[in-house]
Amino acid sequence: RKASNSRLVWGFIKILKFGGSSVGNAERVKNVCDIVRAASKDGRVAVVVSAMQGVTDKLLALDLDFVKEKHLTAAKELKVPAPQDLLDELEKVIKGIKLLGDASPMALDLAASFGERLSSRLVAAYLNKKIPSASVDSRELVKTDNNFQNAAVDFAITNRNIKKFLSKSIIHNSKFLIPVITGFIGSTNSNQTTTLGRGGSDYSAAIFGAALDVDVIEIWTDANGVMTADPRVVSTAFTLPQISYEEAFEMAYFGAKVIHPATMLPAIKREIPILIKNTFNPAHPGTVIAKDSGKEQMTVKNISSVDGISLVNVGGTNLAGVPGTAERGFKAP
C-alpha cells in the first residue's frame, strides 16, 4: 500500500489488538508487552486490548468479587499500581444496578465497559516500565448511536476525534507515548457508554487502524491463524498463509474460526491488510487477510462446520401446496 498523506502525518505503522486470552493473567500481560516492545522498534504502534479472559461475562452477571480479585492479583504480580479508582467506581455502578433493579442494556453497557478499562490500565502501566505508554479510554473518541449493546459507529465524528486526540495527546514534549486503547466500547453524543457487540474489540482495532491509515492491523489470538479445517477434527489441518477478504467472509459465515466479517469493514474500505497472529507463538507467520488471496493456488482452502446444529427434513406428498405447513413446522416444540 502506498502511504497516504494521513499516514505520513500520523506516523502509525500498525495496530496490535490483543484478545481476552492474550491478557488473561499477569504472565500473559508480560508476554503481550514483549510483543509490543518488539513491534515498536520498527515505528509507531498503537495497541487495542480486550477485557481479561472471563471478565465481561462476570461483569454482565454483576459479579464484583471475581473482577476485583482478578485485577488486584494481576496488579500485584505485575508490580504496578492497582486500578483501585476504577474498581471503586465499578462497585458503585453494580450496587446502583442491583438497588434500582435496572438491568437495562444501557446499565449493562456501563458495567461491561470496566473490563476493557481495567485491562487497558494494567497493560499500559506494565508497558510503561519499559516504553512510555498511556491508557486511552476509547469512549472519548468512538462516537455511536444509542443502540446499547450493539451500537453503530458515527465514523465522521469518530475519525476526526481519533486523529485530533492522538496527534495532540499521545505526543508530549516530542516523546511518543504508545496508546493502549480500550476495545469494545464507545459513547453516544451525550456521553452515555455503549458497546459495539461481541467481537467489538476486533472492530475497535479496525476503526482505529482505518482512521490512522496504518500499514497493517494485527489481531493477536490463541491460534496460529486461519486453518484449513478445525484441527480438533482434522489432524492434518494447517494454517493458510493468505486469504482474501471475500474468502474470510465466506469462511466465517459457515462457521470457521475467523475474525468476524463486520469487524473487517473499516479495513476493507481502506484496503488495509489484517494479520492474524498467535500471542503464544509469535514466531509463527500467521495468516494475512487482504484484497487478494495470495499466491497459493488451492482448489479448496477451507472446510468448516457449525456445531450443535441438527437438520430436520419434513416431507411428504400431502404437504405439497398446503397453506401453513412451514409455520406449523417451525412452531413445533
Side-chain angles (χ1 to χ4, degrees), residues 86-317:
L86 287 178
L87 291 171
D88 291 343
E89 183 184 346
L90 173 61
E91 184 172 8
K92 292 179 182 178
V93 168
I94 289 179
K95 284 183 177 179
I97 291 174
K98 290 182 176 180
L99 180 63
L100 298 174
D102 177 21
S104 64
M106 181 173 68
L108 291 178
D109 269 5
L110 178 57
S113 73
F114 283 88
E116 276 69 18
R117 292 158 65 187
L118 288 162
S119 175
S120 170
R121 184 76 70 82
L122 289 178
V123 172
Y126 186 78
L127 185 61
N128 196 52
K129 288 183 172 184
K130 303 291 184 179
I131 309 175
S133 309
S135 176
V136 175
D137 190 337
S138 59
R139 294 180 301 168
E140 301 175 16
L141 309 175
V142 179
K143 290 300 175 179
T144 73
D145 63 11
N146 61 357
N147 184 28
F148 298 99
Q149 298 194 310
N150 192 27
V153 176
D154 185 328
F155 282 96
I157 298 175
T158 296
N159 289 344
R160 185 166 61 247
N161 287 348
I162 290 172
K163 293 175 182 178
K164 182 179 179 181
F165 175 82
L166 293 181
S167 64
K168 290 186 176 181
S169 302
I170 295 300
I171 301 176
H172 294 283
N173 299 324
S174 300
K175 180 184 289 186
F176 173 70
L177 304 179
I178 293 179
V180 181
I181 304 161
T182 57
F184 182 53
I185 61 177
S187 69
T188 65
N189 287 331
S190 57
N191 295 322
Q192 293 172 309
T193 298
T194 58
T195 60
L196 307 180
R198 286 306 179 100
S201 290
D202 289 346
Y203 191 25
S204 296
I207 291 167
F208 277 85
L212 298 171
D213 196 26
V214 296
D215 290 339
V216 62
I217 297 168
E218 295 184 357
I219 306 294
W220 289 79
T221 69
D222 56 0
N224 284 335
V226 180
M227 307 288 287
T228 53
D230 186 340
R232 296 169 298 180
V233 179
V234 182
S235 60
T236 55
F238 59 90
T239 303
L240 292 163
Q242 183 166 328
I243 58 176
S244 68
Y245 297 128
E246 184 178 1
E247 288 169 336
F249 265 77
E250 292 296 318
M251 291 179 190
Y253 181 79
F254 287 103
K257 187 179 180 182
V258 188
I259 183 174
H260 193 281
T263 69
M264 295 190 290
L265 292 178
I268 291 173
K269 290 180 180 179
R270 301 300 294 267
E271 296 185 8
I272 299 173
I274 300 169
L275 176 59
I276 311 297
K277 294 274 287 180
N278 189 345
T279 312
F280 311 107
N281 185 17
H284 194 282
T287 299
V288 175
I289 305 176
K291 185 177 181 180
D292 61 69
S293 57
K295 298 178 181 179
E296 296 290 331
Q297 299 298 321
M298 301 171 60
T299 303
V300 177
K301 281 199 171 182
N302 176 269
I303 299 174
S304 58
S305 62
V306 180
D307 297 332
I309 299 294
S310 299
L311 178 64
V312 178
N313 186 23
V314 180
T317 56

